[in-house]
Amino acid sequence: MSAAFPKNSQAPMQGSVQTPEFAFWASDTLNSAHCSVATLCHSDTALKNGIDNQPDEPVRDNLLRLAETLTAVCILVGSPLQITSGFRCESLNRAVGGVEGSQHSTGQAADFKCPPFGSALELAHAIAASSITFDQLILEYGRWVHLSVAAAGEMPRREVLHINNAAEGYLHGLPPRTKADKSQRQVT
């Protein structure tokens, strides 16, 4: 089966990554056509601190489902994603100041942006308006998108949130797009 890449894009060489943010088009035999579990597990912080960030089998299964969802996002926006955070084992999650019980620690969440597509706000609106199945979609601090999948066998909540600052906390929905955003981006 050959991978179908969005028009006007080329499939990169297998395993190609960029540090510290990874273009999310790599492919291997254990993953969906556009994604790499290795990309979702890579962490400069883990390497720097000697943390083994390799997932166990249940987490790997979650990462495969997450990779499929992120592939759908790539196809939706027609561009590779820059993954800024994926799987974080418990010790890595503590090292980066992640919240206890984070879906990152179970392989169910990734943070990303996609500058070729547009702002994080535009990206979040495009995903929210799509038919992509997700558990949570969070626009975080206006700078990146957090997307998670539900645990295996659970119904995805399709919860859409945003956070501007810690004092205000998480708010339901997304901020409105500006007129400039609306005129620049139309996803078909």
Side-chain angles (χ1 to χ4, degrees), residues 33-109:
H34 295 70
C35 306
S36 169
V37 167
T39 299
L40 289 170
C41 293
H42 175 85
S43 166
D44 288 343
T45 302
L47 292 173
K48 180 178 159 186
N49 293 300
I51 298 171
D52 180 9
N53 196 44
Q54 295 307 305
D56 59 19
E57 205 57 39
V59 170
R60 190 168 178 78
D61 291 343
N62 288 338
L63 287 167
L64 289 170
R65 288 186 305 102
L66 178 60
E68 290 172 2
T69 300
L70 294 172
T71 293
V73 174
C74 289
I75 292 168
L76 173 72
V77 301
S79 292
L81 304 177
Q82 291 179 346
I83 304 298
T84 57
S85 183
F87 169 64
R88 301 189 300 234
C89 67
E90 293 298 331
S91 57
L92 177 58
N93 195 51
R94 282 190 299 277
V96 299
V99 298
E100 190 174 330
S102 168
Q103 286 181 303
H104 286 278
S105 296
T106 58
Q108 293 174 257

